[in-house]
Amino acid sequence: MPTAASATSVAPKPERLVVMGRILGAHGVGGAVRVESYCEPPEALLRYRTWWLTRPDAPAPRPVKVERGSSSTKGLLVELAGLADRDAAAAMKGHEIAVDRSLLPALPAGRFYWTDLEGLFVRTADGRSLGVVDHLFDSGAHPLLVTQDGDRQRLIPFVWERVVQSVDLESKQIVVDWDPDF
């Protein structure tokens, strides 16, 4: 199990931060927030005691200490240090939650953090280009790779052996069994 970092005023380098969830809004009147976790299981996000909060309009990520949290049908309910009331919690809506990459556990062969797949070149087994992975999202049935190839965007199911044939992080490419015209 990774150890949690203490909150400091110096953020890890941006490439060392991995987005793990986002704040959905306030919960109750005491300053708690509702959180959507991108972890599996969702409660795994609570293992990290320091979160780096980011948003596009902020100059830099800022650390916040997780005081306590629990799971509910509405997502995670979390109390963060420094949030004393509903207004302060509501102001946090839309912040992304990131953790330092060094705290993430190593994954077994064939498993990847989505962030590691972003930017990889996708091609078919016969070498036809399908673009570069822009991002991934969960369709409910399975994750989808969203590739960008000029103006063309493709949604490719991330299903091992049926669609995804190989992932090579060193050569920065993914080989898929997918019709380029789809």
Side-chain angles (χ1 to χ4, degrees):
M1 188 61 48
T3 59
S6 61
T8 65
S9 60
V10 179
K13 293 180 181 179
E15 66 271 11
R16 300 292 305 160
L17 290 176
V18 177
V19 175
M20 306 283 280
R22 69 185 173 108
I23 297 178
L24 299 172
H27 176 76
V29 296
V33 292
R34 285 184 309 112
V35 170
E36 176 183 11
S37 172
Y38 304 153
C39 298
E40 186 57 44
E43 299 80 18
L45 183 57
L46 297 173
R47 295 179 189 148
Y48 305 98
R49 304 312 295 172
T50 298
W51 292 349
W52 291 88
L53 301 183
T54 66
R55 66 182 306 147
D57 60 349
R62 67 181 180 99
V64 65
K65 184 177 182 290
V66 176
E67 292 185 340
R68 61 185 120 314
S70 62
S71 182
S72 81
T73 57
K74 296 180 180 183
L76 299 178
L77 304 178
V78 181
E79 294 178 28
L80 301 173
L83 293 184
D85 60 46
R86 182 174 181 79
D87 291 338
M92 303 306 292
K93 181 178 180 177
H95 279 79
E96 289 187 321
I97 299 163
V99 299
D100 189 321
R101 175 62 184 251
S102 67
L103 300 176
L104 299 179
L107 294 175
R111 301 281 313 249
F112 306 93
Y113 289 111
W114 286 6
T115 190
D116 294 337
L117 303 177
E118 293 171 358
L120 297 187
F121 178 72
V122 181
R123 66 174 181 84
T124 62
D126 63 0
R128 294 169 63 186
S129 173
L130 299 179
V132 174
V133 177
D134 181 67
H135 64 280
L136 291 91
F137 69 92
D138 191 347
S139 70
H142 43 69
L144 291 173
L145 295 167
V146 179
T147 65
Q148 197 69 42
D149 188 13
D151 291 338
R152 176 136 189 215
Q153 190 177 68
R154 289 183 177 88
L155 302 177
I156 303 171
F158 193 91
V159 180
W160 270 112
E161 296 177 354
R162 287 189 57 213
V163 177
V164 177
Q165 304 299 303
S166 67
V167 173
D168 187 338
L169 296 177
E170 284 191 29
S171 68
K172 299 185 183 293
Q173 72 175 345
I174 299 172
V175 176
V176 296
D177 180 9
W178 193 250
D179 183 352
D181 296 323
F182 188 70

